[in-house]
Amino acid sequence: ALAAPAIAQSSSLPTIKWKLASSFPKSLDTLFNAIESVSREVKAATGGKFEIQLFAAGEIVPSAAVLDAVKDGTVDMGQSASYYYVGKDPTFAFDCAVPFGLNSRQQSAWMWAGGGLELMRELFKSYNIYNIPCGNTGVQMGGWFRKEIKTVADMKGLKMRIAGIAGQVMGKLGVVGQQMGAADIYPALEKGTIDAVEWVGPYDDEKLGFNRVAKYYYYPGFWEAGPQLSIYVNLKKWAELPKEYQQILENACANAHVQMQADYDVKNVVALRRLVAGGAQLREFPKDVMVAAQKATYELYDEFSAKYPTFKKVYTQWKKFHDDQNLWFRVAERAYDAFIYSQGTRR
Amino acid sequence: ALAAPAIAQSSSLPTIKWKLASSFPKSLDTLFNAIESVSREVKAATGGKFEIQLFAAGEIVPSAAVLDAVKDGTVDMGQSASYYYVGKDPTFAFDCAVPFGLNSRQQSAWMWAGGGLELMRELFKSYNIYNIPCGNTGVQMGGWFRKEIKTVADMKGLKMRIAGIAGQVMGKLGVVGQQMGAADIYPALEKGTIDAVEWVGPYDDEKLGFNRVAKYYYYPGFWEAGPQLSIYVNLKKWAELPKEYQQILENACANAHVQMQADYDVKNVVALRRLVAGGAQLREFPKDVMVAAQKATYELYDEFSAKYPTFKKVYTQWKKFHDDQNLWFRVAERAYDAFIYSQGTRR
């Protein structure tokens, strides 16, 4: 092993300062931490030459406009959840989460080894963007309900804050989907303007205090089994980046990818325990709700496939991948986890 | 955003060439790929200045001597599975896997956000090593058995190729543990010198052809629910590394960490399907085997705790973490996965 003493060398690596616009507020700290660590580690790995300045949602770009801002070069980079852009093309949802989709580990398997990243890069390329996976929340909760759901019939007419493809699935079950920002949900739930709300999971939900106005806390959030967050880089800016910085940026995102899931897994337990102690009633969605929702989801996928060639192409590949993954997960992973869960804690 | 044109600057970053000794042969390609990607990405991120030369098991250091070689500075770095070193101190197993331990995602949560990395760094520091998590196989299979196991009584007297803490657990069930290298297993199983063997999972097992001489393929490998692989760096060498290179190396390991689990998840399915088509009979360990093995495991942990203060310290923290994680995983993750597995594939 040879460690040469410090030698002055000419270096052609440029000093770069980029702007990153996030779709998230700083209060969603588990999400915001991801870009803080990417920025910090990119700086550390380049000896301070490559700096990324962070802007929370709304500071320079509105939350749902991050994709366009990166596409147009208004900002160099973005952090977002790609299912925000299903209005442009429902195919974007595969980069984040689709109902009855991959769990967190399967989503990573699809992106890193299952052909998913290539398919998503192709999609984003047509929007002038280079996308990098950067974090996952794990399966989210089904949300807070003012009344108990005993059967799928109880979903009919329910006014629920839920959007995107999940909102369309719920619509097929008779749920009336509502869109509203974080600040408006609590008062709407308190007054009964809405009957239910889905947000994220215990850690993020606790901050908004929903348990005080809707005591039934349902799971699982079958529309978000493993939602992945993504980093967007303007494609021209990406191409201009030295190879060194490209590698450094990709790997900083990989580290944040692991960190975010770990943070959620650790923080959700603590919050869940407090929520239950504070009166939240945990309830599993009845099986007939799950079955009906899955059927509605499949109908929707057929509709999208008929309408969007890109969706059809990705869905066909993704569907086979998902089936294969479950074949394997159903064996050793399922058997192990099921035994552990059945045993409770050590006496 | 400001991208300064290339400016010649004086750079103090040194040219470094390190040697890495792996505990694994190149034939275990999913494991070996991890260090190949670390080496490739570290080189790319430093413009070729930081090179890591790779040596497979036995090329310069025997498989089980990697820890000592890094500790003594014979090599700069190593790749290993830390449970190989339980003979020195059983606490090393927490850096990889212990029976009835954390699954893959929980292991990452412990390392990245649950205090595990700090505890493991403290342990490795006393061996002159800086350790970095770098990959996971996911839950392994229970192995190949010549005869069916119907009850825990069938385990008594069974000659099985199994080692380490898992071997001690099996010993308490009456299994006679045998240690042998990869090349000796197949003939021993064919002749009936041994009755059973545990190796890894479908992808790695298939290469050794065990299905031809032992048709019952048991799961889950309860002694390896989420075995983590690790990179070891000689502590003095780590301290000499520029901060830039430290960050680059850590993040290359993080990317390989995600990649390895993804590779196993994708490759295991394909291999499992071929093995089953080739006659392998999949069997789940009977519940009484699992319960007896868990009881034996707990006895062993008490014995280790009484004997090794470090084990006691880590086990106490780890045990609480594991219980907490299961509290959360038992809710949304379990409910979602259970539904998906119960539904089969889409008609």
Side-chain angles (χ1 to χ4, degrees):
Chain A
L2 175 129
I7 296 168
Q9 293 183 308
S10 75
S11 163
S12 60
L13 291 178
T15 295
I16 293 182
K17 196 166 178 177
W18 274 9
K19 284 186 166 61
L20 182 155
S22 175
S23 287
F24 310 108
K26 286 182 186 169
S27 58
L28 287 171
D29 59 333
T30 315
L31 302 178
F32 208 81
N33 281 351
I35 48 173
E36 282 184 336
S37 85
V38 167
S39 173
R40 186 176 58 243
E41 292 172 6
V42 161
K43 190 175 174 182
T46 61
K49 285 184 177 177
F50 185 6
E51 280 193 83
I52 302 169
Q53 198 181 355
L54 308 176
F55 295 91
E59 285 186 12
I60 51 172
V61 173
S63 176
V66 165
L67 185 142
D68 281 334
V70 178
K71 172 176 156 283
D72 300 338
T74 312
V75 290
D76 311 286
M77 287 176 73
Q79 177 197 32
S80 201
S82 298
Y83 62 11
Y84 288 174
Y85 310 104
V86 293
K88 295 177 190 293
D89 187 329
T91 320
F92 277 115
F94 290 104
D95 191 57
C96 178
V98 297
F100 294 98
L102 307 167
N103 66 24
S104 175
R105 187 167 131 188
Q106 293 170 343
Q107 177 72 20
S108 294
W110 190 55
M111 296 302 279
W112 264 261
L117 188 59
E118 294 75 4
L119 287 167
M120 290 300 102
R121 290 252 162 100
E122 205 175 298
L123 171 68
F124 277 96
K125 196 178 178 182
S126 63
Y127 286 80
N128 202 30
I129 286 172
Y130 185 82
N131 58 302
I132 309 173
C134 188
N136 199 302
T137 67
V139 71
Q140 298 193 357
M141 291 293 281
W144 300 88
F145 289 68
R146 286 162 53 98
K147 286 180 196 152
E148 217 172 340
I149 302 295
K150 306 230 172 181
T151 154
V152 66
D154 296 335
M155 301 292 281
K156 208 172 154 67
L158 212 68
K159 295 187 290 296
M160 183 173 184
R161 186 262 176 200
I162 188 166
I165 296 182
Q168 290 178 264
V169 169
M170 286 296 197
K172 285 179 183 272
L173 267 54
V175 170
V176 185
Q178 314 269 332
Q179 298 211 25
M180 55 181 74
D184 302 324
I185 305 173
Y186 186 95
L189 204 54
E190 190 177 27
K191 281 180 215 149
T193 313
I194 57 172
D195 307 301
V197 56
E198 70 89 32
W199 187 240
V200 185
Y203 180 68
D204 293 322
D205 291 8
E206 189 189 22
K207 295 178 208 162
L208 298 182
F210 301 139
N211 56 312
R212 292 197 299 272
V213 283
K215 72 175 176 180
Y216 298 103
Y217 197 18
Y218 274 89
Y219 62 88
F222 49 78
W223 50 94
E224 298 181 286
Q228 178 188 284
L229 289 304
S230 290
I231 289 293
Y232 303 156
V233 184
N234 177 278
L235 202 56
K236 186 163 166 284
K237 289 297 171 78
W238 176 256
E240 287 170 9
L241 219 52
K243 296 275 174 244
E244 288 89 337
Y245 292 4
Q246 288 182 346
Q247 188 68 61
I248 284 168
L249 179 55
E250 297 232 41
N251 285 1
C253 289
N255 192 35
H257 185 78
V258 188
Q259 185 71 54
M260 188 189 293
Q261 185 61 77
D263 285 343
Y264 268 115
D265 285 341
V266 168
K267 291 179 176 184
N268 275 332
V269 189
V270 184
L272 182 67
R273 195 173 263 142
R274 272 196 304 253
L275 286 167
V276 170
Q281 301 283 315
L282 281 177
R283 290 286 185 280
E284 190 166 344
F285 278 124
K287 178 124 187 194
D288 70 349
V289 170
M290 299 288 283
V291 169
Q294 192 181 41
K295 186 170 169 286
T297 297
Y298 288 160
E299 285 171 19
L300 206 58
Y301 292 160
D302 288 343
E303 292 165 28
F304 290 152
S305 292
K307 205 169 158 189
Y308 303 93
T310 311
F311 186 95
K312 189 179 181 181
K313 177 184 167 183
V314 174
Y315 178 64
T316 305
Q317 192 272 0
W318 176 95
K319 179 66 177 57
K320 186 181 177 311
F321 179 84
H322 191 195
D323 289 345
D324 278 354
Q325 284 294 292
N326 288 327
L327 186 77
W328 167 231
F329 273 70
R330 190 182 276 133
V331 180
E333 295 289 344
R334 178 205 54 77
Y336 182 77
D337 288 343
F339 176 77
I340 292 292
Y341 301 154
S342 74
Q343 290 305 95
T345 59
R346 182 182 177 185
R347 280 79 30 205
Chain B
L2 174 130
I7 296 167
Q9 293 183 308
S10 75
S11 165
S12 60
L13 291 179
T15 296
I16 293 182
K17 196 166 179 178
W18 274 9
K19 284 186 165 63
L20 182 155
S22 175
S23 286
F24 310 109
K26 286 182 186 169
S27 58
L28 288 170
D29 59 332
T30 315
L31 302 179
F32 208 81
N33 280 351
I35 49 174
E36 282 183 337
S37 85
V38 166
S39 173
R40 186 175 59 244
E41 292 172 7
V42 161
K43 191 175 174 181
T46 60
K49 286 185 178 176
F50 185 6
E51 279 193 84
I52 301 169
Q53 199 182 354
L54 308 178
F55 296 91
E59 284 185 12
I60 51 171
V61 173
S63 176
V66 166
L67 186 142
D68 280 335
V70 178
K71 171 174 156 284
D72 300 338
T74 311
V75 290
D76 311 287
M77 284 175 75
Q79 177 198 34
S80 200
S82 298
Y83 63 10
Y84 288 174
Y85 310 103
V86 293
K88 295 179 191 293
D89 186 329
T91 319
F92 276 115
F94 291 104
D95 191 57
C96 179
V98 297
F100 294 99
L102 306 167
N103 66 24
S104 176
R105 185 167 132 190
Q106 293 170 343
Q107 177 72 18
S108 294
W110 189 56
M111 295 303 276
W112 264 260
L117 188 58
E118 293 77 2
L119 286 167
M120 291 299 103
R121 291 251 162 102
E122 205 176 298
L123 171 68
F124 277 96
K125 195 177 178 184
S126 64
Y127 286 79
N128 200 30
I129 286 172
Y130 185 83
N131 58 301
I132 309 173
C134 188
N136 199 304
T137 67
V139 73
Q140 298 193 357
M141 292 293 281
W144 300 87
F145 289 68
R146 286 162 53 98
K147 288 182 194 148
E148 215 172 340
I149 303 297
K150 306 231 172 179
T151 153
V152 66
D154 295 336
M155 301 292 279
K156 208 172 155 64
L158 211 69
K159 294 188 291 295
M160 182 172 186
R161 186 263 179 201
I162 188 165
I165 295 182
Q168 291 179 263
V169 169
M170 286 296 197
K172 286 178 182 272
L173 266 55
V175 171
V176 184
Q178 312 269 334
Q179 299 211 22
M180 55 181 73
D184 302 323
I185 305 174
Y186 185 96
L189 203 54
E190 190 177 28
K191 283 181 214 150
T193 314
I194 56 171
D195 308 299
V197 57
E198 69 89 31
W199 188 241
V200 184
Y203 179 68
D204 293 321
D205 290 7
E206 189 189 22
K207 296 178 207 163
L208 298 183
F210 300 139
N211 56 311
R212 293 197 298 273
V213 282
K215 71 174 177 182
Y216 299 103
Y217 197 19
Y218 275 89
Y219 64 86
F222 49 79
W223 51 93
E224 299 181 286
Q228 176 188 285
L229 288 304
S230 291
I231 291 293
Y232 303 154
V233 185
N234 177 278
L235 202 56
K236 189 166 164 282
K237 289 298 171 76
W238 176 256
E240 287 170 9
L241 219 52
K243 297 276 175 242
E244 288 88 338
Y245 291 5
Q246 288 182 348
Q247 187 69 61
I248 285 167
L249 179 55
E250 296 232 40
N251 285 1
C253 290
N255 192 35
H257 185 78
V258 188
Q259 185 73 53
M260 188 190 293
Q261 185 62 75
D263 285 343
Y264 268 115
D265 285 341
V266 168
K267 291 178 174 185
N268 275 331
V269 188
V270 184
L272 183 67
R273 195 173 263 141
R274 273 195 305 255
L275 286 167
V276 170
Q281 300 284 313
L282 280 177
R283 290 286 185 281
E284 190 166 344
F285 277 125
K287 177 124 184 193
D288 71 348
V289 170
M290 298 288 282
V291 169
Q294 192 181 41
K295 185 170 169 286
T297 298
Y298 287 161
E299 285 170 17
L300 206 58
Y301 292 160
D302 288 342
E303 292 165 28
F304 290 154
S305 292
K307 206 170 157 188
Y308 302 92
T310 310
F311 186 94
K312 189 178 180 181
K313 178 185 166 181
V314 174
Y315 178 64
T316 305
Q317 193 272 358
W318 175 96
K319 179 68 178 55
K320 186 183 177 309
F321 179 85
H322 191 196
D323 289 344
D324 278 354
Q325 285 295 291
N326 288 326
L327 186 76
W328 167 231
F329 273 70
R330 190 182 278 134
V331 179
E333 296 288 344
R334 178 205 55 76
Y336 182 77
D337 288 344
F339 176 78
I340 292 291
Y341 301 153
S342 74
Q343 291 305 95
T345 60
R346 182 181 178 184
R347 280 85 21 211

